[in-house]
PDB file of all heavy atoms in Angstrom:
ATOM      1  N   ALA A  88     110.659 103.341 120.492  1.00  0.00           N
ATOM      2  CA  ALA A  88     112.198 103.465 120.290  1.00  0.00           C
ATOM      3  C   ALA A  88     112.728 104.522 121.215  1.00  0.00           C
ATOM      4  O   ALA A  88     113.829 104.414 121.991  1.00  0.00           O
ATOM      5  CB  ALA A  88     112.515 103.882 118.840  1.00  0.00           C
ATOM      6  N   GLU A  89     111.935 105.677 121.389  1.00  0.00           N
ATOM      7  CA  GLU A  89     112.389 106.646 122.232  1.00  0.00           C
ATOM      8  C   GLU A  89     112.377 106.246 123.674  1.00  0.00           C
ATOM      9  O   GLU A  89     113.252 106.506 124.424  1.00  0.00           O
ATOM     10  CB  GLU A  89     111.492 107.990 122.086  1.00  0.00           C
ATOM     11  CG  GLU A  89     111.563 108.637 120.709  1.00  0.00           C
ATOM     12  CD  GLU A  89     110.664 109.795 120.516  1.00  0.00           C
ATOM     13  OE1 GLU A  89     109.757 109.871 121.389  1.00  0.00           O
ATOM     14  OE2 GLU A  89     110.699 110.472 119.457  1.00  0.00           O
ATOM     15  N   LEU A  90     111.292 105.533 124.066  1.00  0.00           N
ATOM     16  CA  LEU A  90     111.218 105.092 125.459  1.00  0.00           C
ATOM     17  C   LEU A  90     112.263 104.067 125.750  1.00  0.00           C
ATOM     18  O   LEU A  90     112.825 103.935 126.843  1.00  0.00           O
ATOM     19  CB  LEU A  90     109.854 104.551 125.710  1.00  0.00           C
ATOM     20  CG  LEU A  90     108.682 105.559 125.925  1.00  0.00           C
ATOM     21  CD1 LEU A  90     107.381 104.903 126.127  1.00  0.00           C
ATOM     22  CD2 LEU A  90     108.940 106.513 127.208  1.00  0.00           C
ATOM     23  N   TRP A  91     112.629 103.203 124.708  1.00  0.00           N
ATOM     24  CA  TRP A  91     113.616 102.138 125.012  1.00  0.00           C
ATOM     25  C   TRP A  91     114.925 102.789 125.111  1.00  0.00           C
ATOM     26  O   TRP A  91     115.757 102.308 125.953  1.00  0.00           O
ATOM     27  CB  TRP A  91     113.525 101.179 123.756  1.00  0.00           C
ATOM     28  CG  TRP A  91     114.527 100.058 123.976  1.00  0.00           C
ATOM     29  CD1 TRP A  91     115.709  99.768 123.395  1.00  0.00           C
ATOM     30  CD2 TRP A  91     114.390  98.917 124.924  1.00  0.00           C
ATOM     31  NE1 TRP A  91     116.321  98.643 123.816  1.00  0.00           N
ATOM     32  CE2 TRP A  91     115.420  98.139 124.763  1.00  0.00           C
ATOM     33  CE3 TRP A  91     113.348  98.575 125.832  1.00  0.00           C
ATOM     34  CZ2 TRP A  91     115.624  96.931 125.597  1.00  0.00           C
ATOM     35  CZ3 TRP A  91     113.513  97.332 126.569  1.00  0.00           C
ATOM     36  CH2 TRP A  91     114.598  96.586 126.419  1.00  0.00           C
ATOM     37  N   ALA A  92     115.219 103.812 124.380  1.00  0.00           N
ATOM     38  CA  ALA A  92     116.539 104.566 124.600  1.00  0.00           C
ATOM     39  C   ALA A  92     116.527 105.190 125.956  1.00  0.00           C
ATOM     40  O   ALA A  92     117.636 105.113 126.631  1.00  0.00           O
ATOM     41  CB  ALA A  92     116.736 105.491 123.572  1.00  0.00           C
ATOM     42  N   TYR A  93     115.447 105.672 126.429  1.00  0.00           N
ATOM     43  CA  TYR A  93     115.340 106.296 127.795  1.00  0.00           C
ATOM     44  C   TYR A  93     115.532 105.208 128.811  1.00  0.00           C
ATOM     45  O   TYR A  93     116.248 105.399 129.822  1.00  0.00           O
ATOM     46  CB  TYR A  93     114.019 106.945 127.973  1.00  0.00           C
ATOM     47  CG  TYR A  93     113.744 107.552 129.314  1.00  0.00           C
ATOM     48  CD1 TYR A  93     114.257 108.656 129.723  1.00  0.00           C
ATOM     49  CD2 TYR A  93     112.894 106.882 130.206  1.00  0.00           C
ATOM     50  CE1 TYR A  93     114.053 109.179 131.065  1.00  0.00           C
ATOM     51  CE2 TYR A  93     112.624 107.291 131.427  1.00  0.00           C
ATOM     52  CZ  TYR A  93     113.210 108.538 131.884  1.00  0.00           C
ATOM     53  OH  TYR A  93     112.930 108.914 133.033  1.00  0.00           O
ATOM     54  N   TYR A  94     114.985 104.089 128.532  1.00  0.00           N
ATOM     55  CA  TYR A  94     115.075 102.795 129.446  1.00  0.00           C
ATOM     56  C   TYR A  94     116.493 102.423 129.588  1.00  0.00           C
ATOM     57  O   TYR A  94     116.980 102.195 130.707  1.00  0.00           O
ATOM     58  CB  TYR A  94     114.233 101.815 128.937  1.00  0.00           C
ATOM     59  CG  TYR A  94     114.265 100.463 129.731  1.00  0.00           C
ATOM     60  CD1 TYR A  94     113.684 100.279 130.956  1.00  0.00           C
ATOM     61  CD2 TYR A  94     114.912  99.387 129.227  1.00  0.00           C
ATOM     62  CE1 TYR A  94     113.786  99.166 131.629  1.00  0.00           C
ATOM     63  CE2 TYR A  94     115.086  98.231 129.894  1.00  0.00           C
ATOM     64  CZ  TYR A  94     114.393  97.993 131.108  1.00  0.00           C
ATOM     65  OH  TYR A  94     114.506  96.910 131.793  1.00  0.00           O
ATOM     66  N   GLN A  95     117.239 102.369 128.458  1.00  0.00           N
ATOM     67  CA  GLN A  95     118.559 101.983 128.481  1.00  0.00           C
ATOM     68  C   GLN A  95     119.507 102.922 129.235  1.00  0.00           C
ATOM     69  O   GLN A  95     120.370 102.664 129.998  1.00  0.00           O
ATOM     70  CB  GLN A  95     119.070 101.700 127.034  1.00  0.00           C
ATOM     71  CG  GLN A  95     118.424 100.678 126.259  1.00  0.00           C
ATOM     72  CD  GLN A  95     118.687  99.284 126.869  1.00  0.00           C
ATOM     73  OE1 GLN A  95     119.738  99.079 127.398  1.00  0.00           O
ATOM     74  NE2 GLN A  95     117.688  98.375 126.697  1.00  0.00           N
ATOM     75  N   THR A  96     119.079 104.259 128.987  1.00  0.00           N
ATOM     76  CA  THR A  96     119.849 105.279 129.817  1.00  0.00           C
ATOM     77  C   THR A  96     119.712 105.267 131.251  1.00  0.00           C
ATOM     78  O   THR A  96     120.615 105.338 132.172  1.00  0.00           O
ATOM     79  CB  THR A  96     119.446 106.690 129.414  1.00  0.00           C
ATOM     80  OG1 THR A  96     119.579 106.818 127.887  1.00  0.00           O
ATOM     81  CG2 THR A  96     120.193 107.779 129.917  1.00  0.00           C
ATOM     82  N   LYS A  97     118.406 104.945 131.697  1.00  0.00           N
ATOM     83  CA  LYS A  97     118.109 104.729 133.109  1.00  0.00           C
ATOM     84  C   LYS A  97     118.768 103.489 133.772  1.00  0.00           C
ATOM     85  O   LYS A  97     119.253 103.633 134.802  1.00  0.00           O
ATOM     86  CB  LYS A  97     116.527 104.693 133.302  1.00  0.00           C
ATOM     87  CG  LYS A  97     115.846 106.000 133.129  1.00  0.00           C
ATOM     88  CD  LYS A  97     116.120 106.999 134.241  1.00  0.00           C
ATOM     89  CE  LYS A  97     115.320 108.223 134.150  1.00  0.00           C
ATOM     90  NZ  LYS A  97     115.706 109.197 135.173  1.00  0.00           N
ATOM     91  N   LEU A  98     118.842 102.535 132.936  1.00  0.00           N
ATOM     92  CA  LEU A  98     119.538 101.328 133.524  1.00  0.00           C
ATOM     93  C   LEU A  98     121.036 101.635 133.681  1.00  0.00           C
ATOM     94  O   LEU A  98     121.643 101.160 134.641  1.00  0.00           O
ATOM     95  CB  LEU A  98     119.392 100.183 132.461  1.00  0.00           C
ATOM     96  CG  LEU A  98     118.068  99.358 132.434  1.00  0.00           C
ATOM     97  CD1 LEU A  98     118.012  98.361 131.416  1.00  0.00           C
ATOM     98  CD2 LEU A  98     117.648  98.854 133.752  1.00  0.00           C
ATOM     99  N   ALA A  99     121.661 102.398 132.714  1.00  0.00           N
ATOM    100  CA  ALA A  99     123.042 102.736 132.903  1.00  0.00           C
ATOM    101  C   ALA A  99     123.283 103.575 134.113  1.00  0.00           C
ATOM    102  O   ALA A  99     124.141 103.424 134.910  1.00  0.00           O
ATOM    103  CB  ALA A  99     123.498 103.471 131.599  1.00  0.00           C
ATOM    104  N   GLU A 100     122.335 104.555 134.291  1.00  0.00           N
ATOM    105  CA  GLU A 100     122.415 105.466 135.503  1.00  0.00           C
ATOM    106  C   GLU A 100     122.171 104.564 136.824  1.00  0.00           C
ATOM    107  O   GLU A 100     122.896 104.857 137.765  1.00  0.00           O
ATOM    108  CB  GLU A 100     121.333 106.508 135.495  1.00  0.00           C
ATOM    109  CG  GLU A 100     121.628 107.536 134.324  1.00  0.00           C
ATOM    110  CD  GLU A 100     120.548 108.635 134.328  1.00  0.00           C
ATOM    111  OE1 GLU A 100     119.632 108.590 135.188  1.00  0.00           O
ATOM    112  OE2 GLU A 100     120.598 109.450 133.473  1.00  0.00           O
ATOM    113  N   ARG A 101     121.333 103.681 136.748  1.00  0.00           N
ATOM    114  CA  ARG A 101     121.036 102.854 138.048  1.00  0.00           C
ATOM    115  C   ARG A 101     122.347 101.965 138.303  1.00  0.00           C
ATOM    116  O   ARG A 101     122.776 101.776 139.420  1.00  0.00           O
ATOM    117  CB  ARG A 101     120.028 101.923 137.689  1.00  0.00           C
ATOM    118  CG  ARG A 101     119.552 100.998 138.899  1.00  0.00           C
ATOM    119  CD  ARG A 101     118.411 100.051 138.592  1.00  0.00           C
ATOM    120  NE  ARG A 101     117.904  99.376 139.686  1.00  0.00           N
ATOM    121  CZ  ARG A 101     118.583  98.382 140.351  1.00  0.00           C
ATOM    122  NH1 ARG A 101     119.699  97.940 139.817  1.00  0.00           N
ATOM    123  NH2 ARG A 101     118.083  97.767 141.456  1.00  0.00           N
ATOM    124  N   THR A 102     122.992 101.531 137.176  1.00  0.00           N
ATOM    125  CA  THR A 102     124.196 100.745 137.458  1.00  0.00           C
ATOM    126  C   THR A 102     125.299 101.566 138.062  1.00  0.00           C
ATOM    127  O   THR A 102     125.990 101.140 138.970  1.00  0.00           O
ATOM    128  CB  THR A 102     124.671 100.161 136.135  1.00  0.00           C
ATOM    129  OG1 THR A 102     123.646  99.359 135.437  1.00  0.00           O
ATOM    130  CG2 THR A 102     126.047  99.346 136.233  1.00  0.00           C
ATOM    131  N   SER A 103     125.410 102.840 137.611  1.00  0.00           N
ATOM    132  CA  SER A 103     126.385 103.780 138.232  1.00  0.00           C
ATOM    133  C   SER A 103     126.021 104.004 139.708  1.00  0.00           C
ATOM    134  O   SER A 103     126.943 104.026 140.431  1.00  0.00           O
ATOM    135  CB  SER A 103     126.349 105.044 137.518  1.00  0.00           C
ATOM    136  OG  SER A 103     126.690 104.902 136.065  1.00  0.00           O
ATOM    137  N   LEU A 104     124.755 104.124 140.018  1.00  0.00           N
ATOM    138  CA  LEU A 104     124.398 104.371 141.480  1.00  0.00           C
ATOM    139  C   LEU A 104     124.727 103.126 142.218  1.00  0.00           C
ATOM    140  O   LEU A 104     125.160 103.283 143.370  1.00  0.00           O
ATOM    141  CB  LEU A 104     122.867 104.654 141.555  1.00  0.00           C
ATOM    142  CG  LEU A 104     122.468 106.063 141.064  1.00  0.00           C
ATOM    143  CD1 LEU A 104     121.001 106.267 141.088  1.00  0.00           C
ATOM    144  CD2 LEU A 104     123.089 107.218 142.060  1.00  0.00           C
ATOM    145  N   GLU A 105     124.490 101.965 141.726  1.00  0.00           N
ATOM    146  CA  GLU A 105     124.701 100.726 142.415  1.00  0.00           C
ATOM    147  C   GLU A 105     126.261 100.619 142.729  1.00  0.00           C
ATOM    148  O   GLU A 105     126.717 100.154 143.806  1.00  0.00           O
ATOM    149  CB  GLU A 105     124.209  99.545 141.684  1.00  0.00           C
ATOM    150  CG  GLU A 105     122.748  99.362 141.733  1.00  0.00           C
ATOM    151  CD  GLU A 105     122.238  98.115 141.053  1.00  0.00           C
ATOM    152  OE1 GLU A 105     123.059  97.599 140.245  1.00  0.00           O
ATOM    153  OE2 GLU A 105     121.219  97.545 141.425  1.00  0.00           O
ATOM    154  N   LEU A 106     127.002 100.890 141.729  1.00  0.00           N
ATOM    155  CA  LEU A 106     128.492 100.882 141.911  1.00  0.00           C
ATOM    156  C   LEU A 106     128.892 101.890 142.998  1.00  0.00           C
ATOM    157  O   LEU A 106     129.695 101.516 143.880  1.00  0.00           O
ATOM    158  CB  LEU A 106     129.137 101.195 140.591  1.00  0.00           C
ATOM    159  CG  LEU A 106     129.138 100.079 139.528  1.00  0.00           C
ATOM    160  CD1 LEU A 106     129.712 100.625 138.197  1.00  0.00           C
ATOM    161  CD2 LEU A 106     129.743  98.741 139.894  1.00  0.00           C
ATOM    162  N   ALA A 107     128.404 103.041 142.976  1.00  0.00           N
ATOM    163  CA  ALA A 107     128.661 104.077 144.032  1.00  0.00           C
ATOM    164  C   ALA A 107     128.289 103.591 145.329  1.00  0.00           C
ATOM    165  O   ALA A 107     129.022 103.734 146.434  1.00  0.00           O
ATOM    166  CB  ALA A 107     128.075 105.380 143.690  1.00  0.00           C
ATOM    167  N   HIS A 108     127.113 103.014 145.444  1.00  0.00           N
ATOM    168  CA  HIS A 108     126.589 102.516 146.715  1.00  0.00           C
ATOM    169  C   HIS A 108     127.418 101.332 147.221  1.00  0.00           C
ATOM    170  O   HIS A 108     127.758 101.274 148.441  1.00  0.00           O
ATOM    171  CB  HIS A 108     125.070 102.007 146.411  1.00  0.00           C
ATOM    172  CG  HIS A 108     124.452 101.435 147.670  1.00  0.00           C
ATOM    173  ND1 HIS A 108     124.517 100.107 148.026  1.00  0.00           N
ATOM    174  CD2 HIS A 108     123.752 102.026 148.652  1.00  0.00           C
ATOM    175  CE1 HIS A 108     123.867  99.861 149.165  1.00  0.00           C
ATOM    176  NE2 HIS A 108     123.393 101.068 149.630  1.00  0.00           N
ATOM    177  N   ASP A 109     127.886 100.466 146.426  1.00  0.00           N
ATOM    178  CA  ASP A 109     128.694  99.358 146.762  1.00  0.00           C
ATOM    179  C   ASP A 109     130.111  99.802 147.271  1.00  0.00           C
ATOM    180  O   ASP A 109     130.715  99.195 148.186  1.00  0.00           O
ATOM    181  CB  ASP A 109     128.818  98.377 145.606  1.00  0.00           C
ATOM    182  CG  ASP A 109     127.426  97.574 145.347  1.00  0.00           C
ATOM    183  OD1 ASP A 109     126.513  97.619 146.289  1.00  0.00           O
ATOM    184  OD2 ASP A 109     127.366  97.086 144.244  1.00  0.00           O
ATOM    185  N   ARG A 110     130.550 100.861 146.632  1.00  0.00           N
ATOM    186  CA  ARG A 110     131.889 101.350 146.963  1.00  0.00           C
ATOM    187  C   ARG A 110     131.773 101.901 148.440  1.00  0.00           C
ATOM    188  O   ARG A 110     132.775 101.669 149.164  1.00  0.00           O
ATOM    189  CB  ARG A 110     132.423 102.431 146.007  1.00  0.00           C
ATOM    190  CG  ARG A 110     132.957 101.850 144.643  1.00  0.00           C
ATOM    191  CD  ARG A 110     133.770 102.929 143.976  1.00  0.00           C
ATOM    192  NE  ARG A 110     132.907 104.128 143.538  1.00  0.00           N
ATOM    193  CZ  ARG A 110     132.296 104.187 142.381  1.00  0.00           C
ATOM    194  NH1 ARG A 110     132.477 103.258 141.571  1.00  0.00           N
ATOM    195  NH2 ARG A 110     131.629 105.253 142.140  1.00  0.00           N
ATOM    196  N   VAL A 111     130.751 102.623 148.730  1.00  0.00           N
ATOM    197  CA  VAL A 111     130.655 103.207 150.065  1.00  0.00           C
ATOM    198  C   VAL A 111     130.556 102.104 151.079  1.00  0.00           C
ATOM    199  O   VAL A 111     131.245 102.074 152.186  1.00  0.00           O
ATOM    200  CB  VAL A 111     129.521 104.173 150.172  1.00  0.00           C
ATOM    201  CG1 VAL A 111     129.204 104.625 151.625  1.00  0.00           C
ATOM    202  CG2 VAL A 111     129.643 105.411 149.228  1.00  0.00           C
ATOM    203  N   ARG A 112     129.719 101.095 150.770  1.00  0.00           N
ATOM    204  CA  ARG A 112     129.526  99.943 151.792  1.00  0.00           C
ATOM    205  C   ARG A 112     130.889  99.172 151.858  1.00  0.00           C
ATOM    206  O   ARG A 112     131.218  98.738 153.033  1.00  0.00           O
ATOM    207  CB  ARG A 112     128.467  99.004 151.247  1.00  0.00           C
ATOM    208  CG  ARG A 112     127.114  99.630 151.265  1.00  0.00           C
ATOM    209  CD  ARG A 112     126.101  98.546 150.857  1.00  0.00           C
ATOM    210  NE  ARG A 112     126.083  97.395 151.686  1.00  0.00           N
ATOM    211  CZ  ARG A 112     125.410  96.341 151.638  1.00  0.00           C
ATOM    212  NH1 ARG A 112     124.632  96.153 150.505  1.00  0.00           N
ATOM    213  NH2 ARG A 112     125.388  95.277 152.393  1.00  0.00           N
ATOM    214  N   LEU A 113     131.587  98.917 150.786  1.00  0.00           N
ATOM    215  CA  LEU A 113     132.888  98.244 150.908  1.00  0.00           C
ATOM    216  C   LEU A 113     133.899  99.052 151.721  1.00  0.00           C
ATOM    217  O   LEU A 113     134.692  98.433 152.506  1.00  0.00           O
ATOM    218  CB  LEU A 113     133.422  97.972 149.506  1.00  0.00           C
ATOM    219  CG  LEU A 113     132.728  96.899 148.758  1.00  0.00           C
ATOM    220  CD1 LEU A 113     133.213  96.780 147.266  1.00  0.00           C
ATOM    221  CD2 LEU A 113     132.874  95.566 149.477  1.00  0.00           C
ATOM    222  N   ASP A 114     133.843 100.348 151.485  1.00  0.00           N
ATOM    223  CA  ASP A 114     134.820 101.142 152.257  1.00  0.00           C
ATOM    224  C   ASP A 114     134.528 101.186 153.737  1.00  0.00           C
ATOM    225  O   ASP A 114     135.387 101.067 154.625  1.00  0.00           O
ATOM    226  CB  ASP A 114     134.652 102.616 151.720  1.00  0.00           C
ATOM    227  CG  ASP A 114     135.628 103.540 152.461  1.00  0.00           C
ATOM    228  OD1 ASP A 114     136.857 103.369 152.361  1.00  0.00           O
ATOM    229  OD2 ASP A 114     135.111 104.525 153.219  1.00  0.00           O
ATOM    230  N   LEU A 115     133.170 101.139 154.158  1.00  0.00           N
ATOM    231  CA  LEU A 115     132.828 101.132 155.512  1.00  0.00           C
ATOM    232  C   LEU A 115     133.262  99.727 156.112  1.00  0.00           C
ATOM    233  O   LEU A 115     133.617  99.596 157.253  1.00  0.00           O
ATOM    234  CB  LEU A 115     131.290 101.285 155.722  1.00  0.00           C
ATOM    235  CG  LEU A 115     130.823 102.794 155.383  1.00  0.00           C
ATOM    236  CD1 LEU A 115     129.359 102.829 155.494  1.00  0.00           C
ATOM    237  CD2 LEU A 115     131.573 103.781 156.293  1.00  0.00           C
TER     238      LEU A 115
END
Side-chain angles (χ1 to χ4, degrees):
E89 292 173 354
L90 286 175
W91 184 252
Y93 175 78
Y94 176 76
Q95 296 295 330
T96 302
K97 286 293 185 180
L98 284 180
E100 292 179 5
R101 185 185 187 282
T102 302
S103 299
L104 286 174
E105 285 185 337
L106 291 174
H108 180 270
D109 292 341
R110 279 197 298 268
V111 173
R112 290 185 61 187
L113 287 173
D114 181 64
L115 293 177

